[in-house]
Amino acid sequence: MQISARGDYAVRAALSLATAYPALLSTQAIAAEQDMPRKFLEAVLADLRRSGVVRAQRGAEGGYTLARPPRDITIGHVLRAVDGPLAGVRGLRPEETRYEGAAENLPRLWVAVRASVRRVVDEVSLDELVSGRLPAHVRRLTAQPDAWEPR
């Protein structure tokens, strides 16, 4: 799975908002804390607002806050809000792929890949990630001997 810059920035911004929840944070404060370009962050926050992950308040005391408590928003919610479906194959959802011959079973693998990604990003909330209290199955994945090794 490739995490786009947009997805990375969205998760980082959501984590900043989770630590401040329910208080408002300005784009300037988030950009400074996370060392990201403010204009790009504004576009990311607009996507998160349109998808219902965050809400905005205008005015001198305005800013952004999460639309729901951090425990109720998963990393998957945030990623889908800015990048769409988690797993795609040539622009199709895995279950929409069809192959002939030797590759006829490939859609099953693509669906399994999506399911494994979901098992992590849809089962870790902003609250869990901020606190470091990840679900046991996610902790086990990071503890595997080769988990941190590039391939």
Side-chain angles (χ1 to χ4, degrees), residues 134 136-148:
L134 298 173
H137 71 280
V138 175
R139 286 194 318 271
R140 282 193 297 275
L141 289 171
T142 65
Q144 291 178 0
D146 64 343
W148 295 85

Side-chain angles (χ1 to χ4, degrees), residues 44-85:
V44 167
L45 288 168
D47 287 343
L48 291 173
R49 184 184 50 74
R50 278 190 291 278
S51 69
V53 173
V54 303
R55 63 178 180 81
Q57 181 174 313
R58 296 179 189 238
E61 299 297 317
Y64 289 86
T65 189
L66 297 175
R68 299 182 310 276
R71 71 179 173 276
D72 296 338
I73 301 173
T74 67
I75 304 306
H77 288 128
V78 176
L79 291 173
R80 284 184 192 91
V82 296
D83 284 337

Side-chain angles (χ1 to χ4, degrees), residues 9-31 33-34 36 41-42 44-49 52-57 62-71 73 78 126-127 130:
Y9 282 22
V11 171
R12 290 166 51 202
L15 291 170
S16 290
L17 293 169
T19 60
Y21 185 81
L24 298 169
L25 286 181
S26 68
T27 54
Q28 184 175 351
I30 298 168
E33 178 188 337
Q34 293 298 324
M36 57 180 71
L41 174 60
E42 288 172 354
V44 167
L45 288 168
D47 287 343
L48 291 173
R49 184 184 50 74
V53 173
V54 303
R55 63 178 180 81
Q57 181 174 313
Y64 289 86
T65 189
L66 297 175
R68 299 182 310 276
R71 71 179 173 276
I73 301 173
V78 176
L126 293 173
D127 186 53
V130 165

Side-chain angles (χ1 to χ4, degrees), residues 94-106:
E95 71 277 7
E96 295 172 337
T97 60
R98 300 284 181 265
Y99 303 97
E100 301 293 326
E104 72 179 317
N105 293 308
L106 195 51

